Amino acid sequence: GQQLNQSPQSMFIQEGEDVSMNCTSSSIFNTWLWYKQDPGEGPVLLIALYKAGELTSNGRLTAQFGITRKDSFLNISASIPSDVGIYFCAGQEGGADGLTFGKGTHLIIQP
Amino acid sequence: EAGVTQSPTHLIKTRGQQATLRCSPISGHTSVYWYQQALGLGLQFLLWYDEGEERNRGNFPPRFSGRQFPNYSSELNVNALELEDSALYLCASSLIGQASYGYTFGSGTRLTVV
């Protein structure tokens, strides 16, 4: 099936730094979603994108639906300790019934 | 509104035994998805049920099976447990045909096989 390439696999940053991660696919997606998973919990939906070029914010988080419809980006500004976790991208191809998930980006904030 | 609930939260089994995990979707959601997440790794798709039928299956052996009940709750059964089955098992739900709005996940069942 379709694979999503999510990078980086992990990030070690200092508190206060900005964070960027991305997700790419080999085919066109109609929907891009970003999730965050706290340790020991299920993933929680952060942002949903439905239109090429769309830029959507949720607090310090901003995500973009790539113009080519084959990629998406998530930025976190001024990171804080509670941003620690695993961030997953997910997408839905045209004609597909379900979502495809990326392998996740582990965000670790160093004191 | 109650979210997706999973039980038990933790389960310890011996190799060779069977495990049964349960999931109740959000009220009104008819699709239930099961994922396996080994420690620190990504989400591996297991099964998708809707309206009592298995709609899709991931690349897992037949000893992973499940079912969906008339009230849309679901069970995941893992037979002949192996040590590598130790993982967090996540259930998610959505309205049929509404995957684009995202899945809502439960908090998972942590299965440990010893």
Side-chain angles (χ1 to χ4, degrees):
Chain A
Q2 173 60 241
Q3 299 280 334
L4 287 182
N5 298 310
Q6 187 172 350
S7 65
Q9 187 175 0
S10 58
M11 301 183 73
F12 295 81
I13 63 166
Q14 302 280 347
E15 184 178 348
E17 286 185 17
D18 296 343
V19 171
S20 291
M21 59 190 79
N22 68 82
C23 210
T24 61
S25 71
S26 57
S27 59
I28 288 173
F29 276 55
N30 291 334
T31 298
W32 286 98
L33 306 165
W34 286 92
Y35 283 83
K36 184 197 176 197
Q37 183 180 27
D38 289 326
E41 298 291 329
V44 172
L45 183 64
L46 297 173
I47 293 177
L49 302 156
Y50 299 106
K51 204 171 167 182
E54 181 180 354
L55 191 70
T56 297
S57 293
N58 178 2
R60 294 176 295 105
L61 277 62
T62 302
Q64 184 164 24
F65 193 137
I67 293 290
T68 65
R69 297 171 66 190
K70 293 183 178 181
D71 55 9
S72 181
F73 307 87
L74 176 69
N75 295 311
I76 305 173
S77 63
S79 58
I80 60 177
S82 61
D83 291 334
V84 164
I86 306 175
Y87 291 80
F88 291 100
C89 64
Q92 185 178 33
E93 285 181 84
D97 291 325
L99 298 177
T100 301
F101 283 83
K103 293 188 183 301
T105 295
H106 288 242
L107 180 60
I108 299 149
I109 298 180
Q110 298 172 318
Chain B
E1 176 185 272
V4 176
T5 57
Q6 292 187 245
S7 63
T9 52
H10 293 85
L11 190 58
I12 299 175
K13 291 286 187 177
T14 302
R15 191 170 49 182
Q17 286 187 317
Q18 179 198 28
T20 298
L21 288 62
R22 296 180 176 84
C23 173
S24 292
I26 285 178
S27 177
H29 284 189
T30 60
S31 279
V32 171
Y33 311 84
W34 287 95
Y35 286 84
Q36 182 196 65
Q37 186 179 30
L39 190 62
L41 297 180
L43 305 172
Q44 302 299 316
F45 170 69
L46 271 163
L47 290 159
W48 170 19
Y49 291 97
D50 185 78
E51 297 286 356
E53 302 281 334
E54 182 181 299
R55 300 289 182 174
N56 200 3
R57 181 182 181 87
N59 190 22
F60 280 84
R63 58 190 186 83
F64 287 84
S65 65
R67 54 181 171 165
Q68 187 178 34
F69 299 99
N71 66 354
Y72 304 116
S73 66
S74 177
E75 247 178 31
L76 174 69
N77 295 295
V78 188
N79 293 320
L81 284 165
E82 300 178 2
L83 295 178
E84 52 265 35
D85 295 334
S86 295
L88 181 68
Y89 288 83
L90 291 163
C91 170
S93 72
S94 76
L95 292 165
I96 183 65
Q98 301 293 320
S100 61
Y101 292 106
Y103 301 163
T104 302
F105 284 86
S107 295
T109 293
R110 172 72 62 188
L111 173 64
T112 303
V113 182
V114 296

